Amino acid sequence: MEEKCISKAVIKRLPRYYRYLGELIEEGVERISSNELSAKMRVTASQIRQDLNNFGGFGQQGYGYNVPYLYEEIGKILGLDKTHHMIIIGAGNLGQALANYVKFEKRGFKIVGIFDVNPVLKGISIRGNEIRMMEELPQFLKEEKVEIATLTLPKNNAAEAADLLVKNGIKAIWNFAHLDLNVPKDVIVENVHLSESLMRLSYNLNCQAAEQEK
């Protein structure tokens, strides 16, 4: 595949393709057309073909897409054919919920450490990972190969934790804190703002109510 710039919109849709194809495999579906996939995903068939053509196409005229093959190939594009070691910073309710989410490992994301500042939590085990204190983090990162750090800290602690992570070599942060992190350009940050998602839902709900009143 030629190296080229892929739009963020296409990248955003790839996990959806992967999820739907996984469901099709569970249903025993071997092949599917772009029109059939369009009906399931509510994305136009033309958009599906354009998206997949960014990576080589994968389809055959008159046949459609081989579902297991396309699932495997999209998994490779997303890097899911590798194991990514991940840590969680912040062992509160959200951090513990993420640590207990078993599907991460099925997707190749292995949680290898959980850290917090609250001494009450020290030593508590979550799915085989004992909660460690933040002062142990630098040494842990020296000894373990960690690619991704998940931040579930309050806003006022997140910046300091991010600085510590970057200083110790972390290049990818999954950020649940309500704060836009100031990190070097070579550090990738994926922000998850739950309240923003809820506000978008509220906006669409208001639009729907306004339409019904017309």
Side-chain angles (χ1 to χ4, degrees), residues 67-152:
V67 173
Y69 173 73
L70 183 56
Y71 179 79
E72 182 180 347
E73 290 302 305
I74 290 178
K76 290 178 183 177
I77 293 166
L78 291 169
L80 303 181
D81 56 331
K82 306 166 187 173
T83 299
H84 302 281
H85 286 188
M86 181 166 72
I87 58 173
I88 295 174
I89 309 297
N93 291 335
L94 178 56
Q96 292 191 34
L98 292 173
N100 277 306
Y101 189 63
V102 295
K103 286 191 177 180
F104 284 147
E105 287 183 14
K106 292 180 181 179
R107 295 285 186 263
F109 300 97
K110 184 178 180 181
I111 297 170
V112 295
I114 307 168
F115 295 83
D116 203 279
V117 295
N118 186 352
V120 174
L121 298 174
K122 184 177 181 179
I124 293 175
S125 181
I126 304 175
R127 295 187 65 243
N129 281 302
E130 287 191 1
I131 298 173
R132 304 166 186 259
M133 296 294 95
M134 285 295 290
E135 56 262 28
E136 300 176 60
L137 181 61
Q139 187 61 34
F140 183 89
L141 293 176
K142 284 180 183 177
E143 296 173 355
E144 302 289 335
K145 185 180 178 182
V146 178
E147 288 184 280
I148 302 169
T150 303
L151 272 186
T152 63

Side-chain angles (χ1 to χ4, degrees), residues 142-196:
K142 284 180 183 177
E143 296 173 355
E144 302 289 335
K145 185 180 178 182
V146 178
E147 288 184 280
I148 302 169
T150 303
L151 272 186
T152 63
L153 293 169
K155 180 178 179 179
N156 56 338
N157 301 120
E160 184 180 352
D163 289 343
L164 182 62
L165 289 165
V166 171
K167 183 180 177 181
N168 285 277
I170 291 295
K171 297 295 183 182
I173 298 175
W174 196 22
N175 178 35
F176 284 82
H178 294 282
L179 176 73
D180 292 327
L181 301 173
N182 183 17
V183 296
K185 289 182 179 179
D186 64 339
V187 177
I188 304 163
V189 178
E190 179 69 24
N191 292 305
V192 183
H193 295 309
L194 299 178
S195 60
E196 289 182 10

Side-chain angles (χ1 to χ4, degrees), residues 50-69:
Q50 286 178 38
D51 287 351
L52 297 180
N53 281 340
N54 281 290
F55 305 98
F58 307 114
Q60 299 175 28
Q61 192 169 3
Y63 178 88
Y65 298 104
N66 179 301
V67 173
Y69 173 73

